[in-house]
Each structure stands twice: as structure tokens, then as C-alpha cells.
Amino acid sequence: MDILGYYNYWVFAVLLMIGFYAVIARGNLIKKLLGLSIFQSAVFLMYITMDKVEGGTAPIIQPGAVDQIYSNPLPQVLILTAIVVGVSTTALGLSIVVRIKETYGSVEEPEIFDADDV
Amino acid sequence: MVILFGLFLLTLLVLTAVAIVRTPNLFVAVMLMAIFSLLMAANFFILDAADVALTEAAVGAGVTTVIFLSALALTADRERVTKTGTYFAMGVVSVTVVVLIYATFDKPVLGDPNAPVHQHVAPWYLEQTPELIDIPNVVTAVLGSFRGYDTLGEVFVVLVACIGVQFILGASPPPQAPRGQDEQGLRHHLVPQVVGRLLFPFIILFGLYVQFHGEYGPGGGFQAGAIIATGLILHALLEGESAALKAIPPNTLLAMVAGGALLYTLVGVLGIVLGGNFLDYSVLHSNPVTGQQIGILMIEAGVGITVCGALLSIFHAFAVRD
């Protein structure tokens, strides 16, 4: 059972690299941003994995509950705000992609480089 | 049982991520991204992070998908697959995965109560929240009061990102005049029209509930802002852009974005004026605990207004060009 305790972290590592692969190996700018979103979600998963306490529950204090274990609220606060900031920055990236499409007529990296060389 | 469920969800998560990267159809990739977010939200929920799960479900599966789709409408929905450098990238990525997995064995196992992360300030937050702030949801207490300065920074990041999108997409007029058909929204589709109109008031009501119930249950300004924005985006999709912009003009949205951040800052400054520190809510009322509660309520309202306004104006910035 102990080895399964690391499964979350393995998934984090794999997701992180799947996202990174999309960023470095795919030429389409939208695909790169999707990859970046996966990368970002992987980091969120790592933080939230750290907050879990065995036998704990969500950190909302129940009146009258004695000896109740609560999971760690701090990583949750950090990630909660990061998710909303994440969507705003992704939108910023997408708006740049839209302008690139209008200027170059393409969102494929090789075509954009070719247009720059001419 | 919960562990098995977690393993299942995490494995699905990896499969979905692989499918997102592999498919050349970007429309499919974006829809898979919404599923990915929902799975992620379910994972957060079984890891005891109810607030984060709510945020991820509202933002990741709702708003992000719509913004990606409106960007796809302006670019291309098919990817031209290039094969150059893929083997090299695959090699780099595989080596890094192995190294990262090797490194995870140094981490404490899932749920270990003796992990360093649980020894630092977290127990103090859990112990002191009932005494100092007296609200049940510790996440809201940490977000609004103990780490209020941090949250103020995040609100300003959202504000700046929104301004950035406005500058980048609003700098030049749309290349072509809006097409007549788009102006109708989904008005000629009966089923989305009827279901959407039925859902719309309940989404807004739920958003308001999440906003004002954030001290007692999972929720708060970030989630509520995203949920209300989702409801209003649904309205915009159903009725068409011009009707939505007539209901809430772009200037009102920008005033919301700036006004929410200003409200947050003003509450902080009010703390100084009344003789405390910046963002010290204890001085807002003769009873410090009540002062904390008033402060959190006000800054959560500021956060909600900013997030809702920012997400909506970002959506409109994309949709107006379509």
C-alpha cells in the first residue's frame, strides 16, 4: 500500500511531461497553450496532493466535532487563486495567438518562421 | 475504496492528457481539456480540497473551454502535424519523467501527517481561525485574512491580464464586420434556447450563494466570480453578442474589474486609517472578530466583482471579433 502513496506524484510527473512535450514538439500555437494548461494542472495536482492528511476532511470546521483531523488549508489557498490567475494568463496567451493569426495568416510555427525569413 | 477511486481517476487523467496531445483536431482537444478539468476537479475533491475543486470545475471546465473555443473560431480548428524533432523531444521528456519519478521517492507518502508541509504554519491556522476570525471555512480565513496580501496580489494579476487582453485584442478594429448570422446567437436552436434560459437564473443564484456562503462552506469570491461569469457567458451565447453587450456594456465590465480591485485595496487602506496595519481588519469594528468577518466579506465581494468582470470582458474581447 505504501507504494501507492506515491502514485499521485507519478501522475504529476507524467502529466507535467505530457504538457511539456506538447509545448516543445508541437508546432501549433493553440496546442502549445493546451500543453501549457496540462503542465499547469500537473503542478496544481502536486500541491493538492501535499495537503491531504490521512483520515482528514476538508478544512471546514464543524461545530461540536472533537478530535477531527483537517487537511492542510494552505496549499488549497495557493492553488485556488492560481487556477483563476491561470485562466487569465491563458487568455492573454490566446489573444496573442489570435493577433499572430491575423498578422501571419497562420498559427503553425514553421509557417510563421518562414514568413519571417522572407 | 477511496484509494481505488483515486487511482482510477488519476489514470483517466493521464489517458485524457495523452489524447489531448495526440489528436490533430483542436476542437476535440479543447473538449477533452474540459473533461480533463472535470477529472482534475474530482481528484481535488477526494484529496479534501473542496474549495479548489469548485474553482477548477467552474473555471477549468467552464470559462477556459469557452475562451479556447472562441480563440479556435478566430484561428484554425485543425493542426498541421509536423514530424521534425519529435523523437528528440520524446527522449528528453522520457528521461525527465524517469528522473522526476525517482525524485518522488524522497517525498512523504500521500496523507502522511508528519510531512514537513503540515508542521509549519498550517496547524496554527487551523487552531487560531475559530478564535481570531470565528468562521468555519479555514480556507476562506487564510485566503481573506491571514494571507490577504497574497490574494490582493492575485487579484491584481487578474486585473493586469484582463488589461493585457483588452490592449492586444482591442488595439485594432475587427478585420471584418460581424456576420449577420452570428448576431442571432443560438436563437434558431430551440433546445439550447429553452434549457439555457431555464438554467440561467439558477446559475446566477448559485453564484451568489457561493459568494455569500464562502465563510461557511466551500466557496468565495474567486469561485462565485467564475460561476456568475459562466452564467452570463451562457446568456451571451444564447442571445448573441450585441444583446449581451447591451445588457452589460463593456465599460461597466471594465469598471467592475477595476472597482473590485479598488474595493479590496480600500479595505486595506481603511485598516491603516483606523489605526491598524494594511489589510488588518480587526480595527474595522469594536469587536476584532466581527471586524475580521466584515473585512473578509468586503474583500471577497471585491474579488468576486473583479474576477467576474475580468472573465466576462476577456470573453467579449474574443467574441466581438468572431
Side-chain angles (χ1 to χ4, degrees):
Chain A
M1 227 40 184
D2 237 18
I3 203 78
L4 286 180
Y6 293 113
Y7 192 73
N8 281 47
Y9 294 117
W10 298 342
V11 170
F12 149 73
V14 172
L15 283 182
L16 196 76
M17 283 303 121
I18 290 174
F20 189 60
Y21 175 80
V23 174
I24 59 173
R26 289 311 183 104
N28 186 292
L29 297 178
I30 302 235
K31 205 49 160 302
K32 279 178 194 285
L33 279 173
L34 283 171
L36 214 55
S37 297
I38 297 176
F39 189 94
Q40 179 176 271
S41 292
V43 177
F44 297 163
L45 180 66
M46 188 192 73
Y47 269 74
I48 297 301
T49 300
M50 292 194 297
D51 91 1
K52 174 78 180 160
V53 179
E54 191 67 57
T57 180
I60 296 168
I61 291 168
Q62 294 134 8
V66 192
D67 286 340
Q68 176 67 57
I69 304 168
Y70 297 106
S71 286
N72 193 336
L74 191 55
Q76 301 191 14
V77 174
L78 301 179
I79 295 313
L80 190 140
T81 52
I83 290 175
V84 179
V85 169
V87 64
S88 315
T89 46
T90 305
L92 192 65
L94 280 173
S95 65
I96 296 172
V97 172
V98 167
R99 290 303 296 272
I100 288 175
K101 166 76 177 177
E102 283 170 10
T103 313
Y104 288 89
S106 170
V107 288
E108 302 287 342
E109 213 174 47
E111 290 173 17
I112 295 166
F113 288 153
D114 287 348
D116 266 344
D117 287 339
V118 170
Chain B
M1 193 61 208
V2 175
I3 285 203
L4 275 183
F5 193 52
L7 294 183
F8 173 69
L9 281 176
L10 288 165
T11 314
L12 268 185
L13 210 55
V14 172
L15 292 178
T16 317
V18 170
I20 292 171
V21 177
R22 279 187 58 90
T23 174
N25 187 334
L26 291 173
F27 180 74
V28 172
V30 170
M31 294 328 273
L32 282 171
M33 197 69 204
I35 295 174
F36 180 87
S37 281
L38 272 183
L39 287 171
M40 196 55 114
N43 262 306
F44 290 159
F45 190 73
I46 57 175
L47 290 167
D48 292 347
D51 283 272
V52 186
L54 191 55
T55 318
E56 177 71 34
V59 172
V63 184
T64 312
T65 312
V66 175
I67 292 176
F68 262 109
L69 286 180
S70 13
L72 279 192
L74 294 170
T75 54
D77 63 358
R78 282 202 79 82
E79 182 188 13
R80 221 167 37 88
V81 179
T82 42
K83 286 285 170 203
T84 46
T86 29
Y87 291 109
F88 177 67
M90 197 67 97
V92 171
V93 165
S94 311
V95 171
T96 319
V97 166
V98 172
V99 172
L100 280 173
I101 288 181
Y102 174 69
T104 59
F105 290 106
D106 277 347
K107 288 188 77 72
V109 290
L110 176 67
D112 182 4
N114 298 318
V117 66
H118 303 312
Q119 309 304 321
H120 190 47
V121 285
W124 189 87
Y125 288 149
L126 284 168
E127 270 168 33
Q128 298 296 313
T129 296
E131 196 181 312
L132 294 178
I133 303 180
D134 195 25
I135 60 172
N137 191 347
V138 183
V139 175
T140 304
V142 178
L143 182 99
S145 183
F146 294 125
R147 295 185 67 90
Y149 202 68
D150 193 359
T151 311
L152 178 66
E154 308 270 15
V155 168
F156 271 90
V157 175
V158 173
L159 171 72
V160 169
C162 175
I163 294 173
V165 172
Q166 299 299 329
F167 269 125
I168 293 169
L169 286 185
S172 68
Q176 73 256 16
R179 281 161 285 169
Q181 203 194 359
D182 283 353
E183 278 303 285
Q184 311 246 324
L186 292 173
R187 208 165 275 169
H188 48 290
H189 295 290
L190 190 61
V191 174
Q193 184 75 14
V194 171
V195 177
R197 280 198 174 156
L198 274 178
L199 280 178
F200 174 68
F202 293 104
I203 295 175
I204 302 294
L205 192 65
F206 179 63
L208 290 173
Y209 168 78
V210 167
Q211 169 80 47
F212 294 110
H213 205 255
E215 286 86 20
Y216 301 95
F222 283 100
Q223 295 93 325
I227 291 171
I228 294 174
T230 324
L232 293 171
I233 287 173
L234 177 68
H235 172 258
L237 291 176
L238 289 173
E239 307 291 340
E241 265 302 292
S242 48
L245 286 177
K246 204 183 281 174
I248 307 177
N251 284 342
T252 313
L253 286 178
L254 290 180
M256 278 169 72
V257 184
L262 261 181
L263 175 64
Y264 198 146
T265 319
L266 281 180
V267 173
V269 174
L270 198 62
I272 301 179
V273 171
L274 293 176
N277 291 321
F278 185 61
L279 289 173
D280 177 5
Y281 315 134
S282 306
V283 291
L284 295 179
H285 193 268
S286 52
N287 180 357
V289 176
T290 315
Q292 289 284 345
Q293 292 170 347
I294 293 173
I296 290 179
L297 207 63
M298 300 213 344
I299 67 113
E300 286 278 17
V303 170
I305 294 169
T306 295
V307 169
C308 178
L311 294 178
L312 263 182
S313 55
I314 286 172
F315 165 74
H316 283 309
F318 283 98
V320 160
R321 296 193 150 232
D322 192 7

